[in-house]
Structures are given as structure tokens and as C-alpha cells.
Amino acid sequence: MGSYDFNQNIDRKSTASVKWEMVKQVFGEEDVLPMWVADMDFLPPREVVEAIKNRVDHGIYGYTFVRQEAGEAVAGWQKKRHGWDIDPSWIVYSPGVVPTIALAIQAYTEPGDKVMLQSPVYTPFFDMAKVNGRTVVNSQLKLIGDTYEIDFEDFEQQLKDGVKLFLLCNPHNPGGRVWREEELIKIGDLCLQYGCLILADEIHSDLVFKPNKHIPIASIKEEYKKIVLTGIAPSKTFNIAGLQSSAVVIPDKELRRKFTEQQKMQGFFSLNVFGITAMEAAYLHGEPWLEELLVYLKENTGEAVSFIKAELPDIKPVVPEATYLLWLDCRQTGWSDEEIKERLLKKGKLGLNLGTGYGPGGEGFVRMNLACPREILREGLNRLKISFT
């Protein structure tokens, strides 16, 4: 038994929780068990909560800057967890990785320029490119067995046609892949060759299951520092997304200047005081909590995969190497996406993400959030069974 109780079932209603209180708006049904949006139903590390309480107790919440200690905490975490030596001066702060994606698109491309992604992928990759008037280029991933692979022939062809910015999702959401060093080198070398910048969304990098290992692409070769910016955050790792604090690691001085200039144009100057406090505390003191969390999440994943294979043979789980998200291939059921949605909501009363939201290759899939107490997990799995039988 560990030091943290992840089985504790905490009522999150009346806290303005997107996951639990927007069920009616999102699914059109009130009595749906929400296992969709990527946040966890666990308390964050005690040290994070205490740090926030101490800051609240001070009582004055005036204009705040991000202290040097926070940058050192970010750098120290990257070194310890991922073996990446970063200079704190490379760090720029942002309310979140999605705002970072938008800022990068605005800072490094012009309307009409091509922005490449690899579907099925995190929905805001598409959204941020489209709302900023850029052309979305898709190099779709290939599902080989239950593992996603990169089609490097297509990837290079797209780059040849003039892509300005590539959005890399590592670890991959929703597929759960942790890209290997040789794959990242191919990506980096091709982007160098064709003059394409890389924004690496590495928000799930701390949620990797052994023996898999996350490798920041910017850490592999010195030359990559000229073309890579990396979005990281404590939000997914420590379940503090509502505090809206993230960091962008931009080693290249000119790229960093362009990014911060774009921030100034939007009137952004600093994170909020509680986001700063939580980020620093999480990276300094959160590791023991994270180690226990990873064990719990791996057990949840194992139980979910075993249940689905035993009870729902037509559903094929893509077993994740990282993240607490389970990507389920429902194509063998023969049902359309609309039928899958109808069954989940009307029969099972279960709220999952439909795969169509993740672009081409997502048809016939659903995404299930497993970061919840085991009692909720088992209820969700039973509802999944009811939905599809």
C-alpha cells in the first residue's frame, strides 16, 4: 500500500468541472458517466496543495512574475526525469500547451502556410491551424497491429511540398505511442533538410510506462535546437490543468524572440500566482506521488484491456505505452460512428470521446479516460459492455 489513496472517490460536482458538470452540454444527456476529457479524478500531491494554501494564506495577490526558482525547478525536472539538460534562460511561460500551439503558428507562419500534423491526433492541432488561417497538411499514421507507425515516405513528400511547421505529439494522444529515438531522428533530420520547424507537444511525457522511455526530440542533436520548441506542463502529470501554467523550451535565441514578441502583441506577460506556485511545488516535490500514480494507472490500464478482451472481443484496445487514455478500435462491430455514439449514450450512459474528433483514421474509434478510482473504472467498463452487447 502506497502513501497516496488513488481509490478515493471525490465528488467533483459544484467545482465548475468541465468533465463532470458539462455532461449535458457535451453529450446531450444528463445521466452519463464522464470518461472523456483528459483530466484525472485524483487529488494532486499534498505538497502542491499545501504550497497553494500557504500562498492563499498570505492574503495579497498582486502582480506576479515567474521567479528564477521556478525555471530551475522546470530544468531540474527535465534533467532528472528525461536526461535533458536545459538552460533556464530557454524557458518561456504560457497558460497552456494549446495557447503555445496557437502562438507558434502565429509567430512562425503566415496565413495560408502549411502546418503538418499526424492524425489521428489531439483535436486542437487541427483547430489552432484552421482558426489561424493556415493550411492543414496531414501525414496520417498507420496502425500496424495495435501499434501506430509513421509513414516516413509520405512524411517526406509532405515536407517537400513546403511545410513551415510540424506539430509533433510525443507521447502520442490518442494512440499512446512513445516515439523511439530512431523515429525522432528521422523526423528531426527530415525537418532540418526541408527547413521545417517542429513544435513538440510533450505534455504527456511524464506519464510513460516502463520499459518505455520518453526522449525529448530537442535533446537528441545539437542541430535540433535551431528548429525545435517544446511544450511541457505539470497540468496532465499532476492534475492541475485548471491552474493554467505551462512552459515552452526554446533553445534558439531568435525563435525565442519571435515567440515572446507574439506574446507581447497579445498582451501576455506572466502566469497567475497560483499557477506559478503549483508548478514550482510540483516539479520540486511531486516525484514520489508520480511514481505511485504510474503504478496505479498501469494497473487500471491492464484491468481495462483484460476486461475488454474477455468481454468485448469485437473491440480492440490499442494498448498505450504512455498516457491514461485508452484508444479503442470498434470497427469490427460494423457500426457507424453515429451508431457507436448512440449506443454509448442511450444504452450504456457512458461519455467517451468519439474518434472522428481526432481526424482521418479516427473513424470507428473511441477514447476512454482511465485516470479514475477503480470503482469508477469498473462502472465505466460495465457500461461499455452494456453499450456494445
Side-chain angles (χ1 to χ4, degrees):
M1 186 71 179
S3 305
Y4 301 94
D5 182 11
F6 296 108
N7 282 318
Q8 185 181 2
N9 196 343
I10 300 164
D11 184 1
R12 296 183 60 191
K13 292 178 180 175
S14 302
T15 64
S17 165
V18 168
K19 183 178 186 177
W20 286 91
E21 292 185 67
M22 292 190 69
V23 168
K24 176 76 172 175
Q25 294 95 313
V26 173
F27 298 106
E29 303 281 337
E30 198 75 67
D31 55 343
V32 168
L33 181 67
M35 300 183 76
W36 60 295
V37 69
D39 75 1
M40 301 189 278
D41 292 319
F42 307 132
L43 290 171
R46 286 186 289 268
E47 294 86 351
V48 173
V49 177
E50 286 302 315
I52 294 169
K53 284 181 177 178
N54 290 338
R55 188 63 187 85
V56 168
D57 287 344
H58 182 272
I60 298 177
Y61 319 118
Y63 290 117
T64 312
F65 67 96
V66 184
R67 302 184 306 170
Q68 183 179 338
E69 289 88 339
E72 290 169 353
V74 172
W77 181 264
Q78 288 297 317
K79 173 65 176 174
K80 187 172 187 182
R81 298 297 297 187
H82 309 302
W84 186 18
D85 282 305
I86 67 174
D87 187 322
S89 70
W90 300 348
I91 300 169
V92 179
Y93 296 95
S94 166
V97 173
V98 173
T100 292
I101 293 168
L103 277 161
I105 289 168
Q106 294 160 9
Y108 308 123
T109 68
E110 299 293 334
D113 282 350
K114 294 179 178 179
V115 175
M116 183 164 67
L117 44 75
Q118 297 171 309
S119 77
V121 74
Y122 185 47
T123 308
F125 278 32
F126 291 93
D127 296 342
M128 292 303 101
K130 288 175 181 175
V131 298
N132 281 289
R134 274 53 169 181
T135 303
V136 175
V137 172
N138 183 23
S139 181
Q140 188 173 325
L141 298 173
K142 299 184 294 184
L143 186 58
I144 311 296
D146 67 350
T147 303
Y148 278 101
E149 304 287 348
I150 296 168
D151 183 344
F152 277 105
E153 186 176 331
D154 179 71
F155 187 85
E156 181 171 10
Q157 185 56 54
Q158 303 290 4
L159 287 172
K160 281 181 181 177
D161 292 340
V163 174
K164 291 290 182 68
L165 178 66
F166 167 53
L167 305 179
L168 170 66
C169 195
N170 183 33
H172 185 261
N173 171 17
R177 261 303 305 273
V178 178
W179 302 115
R180 305 293 184 259
E181 184 172 28
E182 57 270 24
E183 293 168 315
L184 294 170
I185 288 172
K186 279 187 181 179
I187 289 170
D189 287 353
L190 284 169
C191 287
L192 270 175
Q193 181 181 343
Y194 292 101
C196 178
L197 297 177
I198 300 171
L199 170 55
D201 174 356
E202 300 189 3
I203 198 168
H204 291 280
S205 59
D206 299 320
L207 299 168
V208 173
F209 304 124
K210 295 175 181 176
N212 304 291
K213 181 174 172 53
H214 172 74
I215 302 171
I217 186 171
S219 72
I220 298 174
K221 290 186 179 182
E222 189 67 26
E223 304 97 287
Y224 295 172
K225 291 178 183 176
K226 295 286 184 187
I227 62 165
V228 178
L229 55 154
T230 305
I232 57 175
S235 53
K236 290 287 186 285
T237 308
F238 300 105
N239 202 29
I240 52 174
L243 293 172
Q244 297 186 315
S245 58
S246 80
V248 197
V249 183
I250 314 176
D252 184 76
K253 188 176 181 180
E254 182 59 17
L255 289 182
R256 199 162 60 247
R257 183 193 66 77
K258 287 183 178 179
F259 191 90
T260 55
E261 283 296 317
Q262 190 65 40
Q263 284 186 315
K264 288 175 185 174
M265 288 170 65
Q266 297 187 2
F268 173 77
F269 296 100
S270 186
L271 303 178
N272 80 75
V273 60
F274 299 113
I276 298 167
T277 300
M279 175 186 281
E280 190 174 329
Y283 285 143
L284 287 176
H285 307 295
E287 190 169 47
W289 179 92
L290 175 60
E291 290 298 335
E292 289 190 27
L293 171 74
L294 287 169
V295 172
Y296 193 88
L297 291 177
K298 191 164 188 178
E299 289 171 353
N300 270 10
T301 302
E303 181 165 330
V305 169
S306 297
F307 179 95
I308 292 164
K309 286 182 175 179
E311 303 291 338
L312 294 163
D314 287 339
I315 309 296
K316 305 298 179 189
V318 178
V319 182
E321 298 171 340
T323 83
Y324 46 75
L325 306 166
L326 186 60
W327 189 234
L328 299 173
D329 184 349
C330 308
R331 292 175 295 178
Q332 286 188 23
T333 64
W335 297 320
S336 68
D337 290 294
E338 195 55 42
E339 287 172 314
I340 291 169
K341 177 183 176 182
E342 189 78 3
R343 282 178 164 269
L344 286 168
L345 295 180
K346 300 297 185 184
K347 286 190 71 179
K349 299 294 182 181
L350 182 62
L352 306 183
N353 294 103
L354 286 181
T356 47
Y358 301 88
E363 303 87 353
F365 287 77
V366 294
R367 193 188 77 167
M368 186 175 193
N369 180 348
L370 307 180
C372 56
R374 211 141 287 154
E375 177 187 358
I376 295 177
L377 173 70
R378 289 168 182 163
E379 174 67 20
L381 291 171
N382 285 326
R383 290 184 186 218
L384 187 69
K385 182 180 177 180
I386 291 166
S387 300
F388 289 145
T389 53

